[in-house]
Amino acid sequence: MKLIINHSSMQPIYEQIVDQIKGKIMQGELQEETMLPSVRTLAKELKVSALTAKKAYDTLEEEGFVITVHGKGSFVACANQELMLEQKRKEVETDLEMAIRKGRSCGMSDQEMKELFELVLED
C-alpha cells in the first residue's frame, strides 16, 4: 500500500494515514475485506512510530472504514456507500465552514458571501 507522509505538514501523521487510506477505500483502490498491513509493518514502511500507525487504524475503525480481528489483522470494512457519502458531506461542510470563517476574518458580510457562493455555483 503506497502512502506518502509529509513530515513538514501541519497535519498530524496519523491523520495523513487516515485520510489516504479512506481515500483509497472511497476510490475503490482498496476493496472490501482487503487485509491491511500490520501496524508494525505499516510503521516500518512509513518510518513512523507503531503507536502512530495504531492510532490511524483505531481512528479508521471508529469511523467504520476498517475492522480489526485480534490475531488476524485489520481489514477494509464493508464498502458502505451511505457511510462514504456521509463522509464526503462532512468534508464539504467542513470546507464551507472554513470558507465562511475566512470570509468573516476578511470583513465580508453574510450577504457578500452568499453572492460569491452563488457566483461560484454558476461556474
Side-chain angles (χ1 to χ4, degrees), residues 82-99:
E82 262 188 57
L83 178 66
M84 290 183 196
L85 274 175
E86 183 60 28
Q87 182 66 32
K88 287 183 180 183
R89 285 187 188 118
K90 281 184 191 174
E91 290 173 12
V92 169
E93 187 176 325
T94 301
D95 290 347
L96 287 173
E97 286 172 354
M98 283 177 37

Side-chain angles (χ1 to χ4, degrees), residues 46-98:
L46 299 177
K47 297 180 178 149
V48 299
S49 160
L51 290 175
T52 300
K54 173 90 170 81
K55 188 172 182 179
Y57 278 8
D58 287 348
T59 301
L60 287 164
E61 190 165 4
E62 285 172 13
E63 295 181 11
F65 286 92
V66 167
I67 296 172
T68 299
V69 180
H70 287 284
K72 292 191 174 181
S74 296
F75 302 85
V76 174
C78 173
N80 183 335
Q81 292 296 322
E82 262 188 57
L83 178 66
M84 290 183 196
L85 274 175
E86 183 60 28
Q87 182 66 32
K88 287 183 180 183
R89 285 187 188 118
K90 281 184 191 174
E91 290 173 12
V92 169
E93 187 176 325
T94 301
D95 290 347
L96 287 173
E97 286 172 354
M98 283 177 37

Side-chain angles (χ1 to χ4, degrees), residues 3 9 17 27 33 52 78 84 94 110 122:
L3 301 177
S9 170
I17 297 169
Q27 293 167 5
E33 298 183 13
T52 300
C78 173
M84 290 183 196
T94 301
D110 287 356
E122 289 175 7

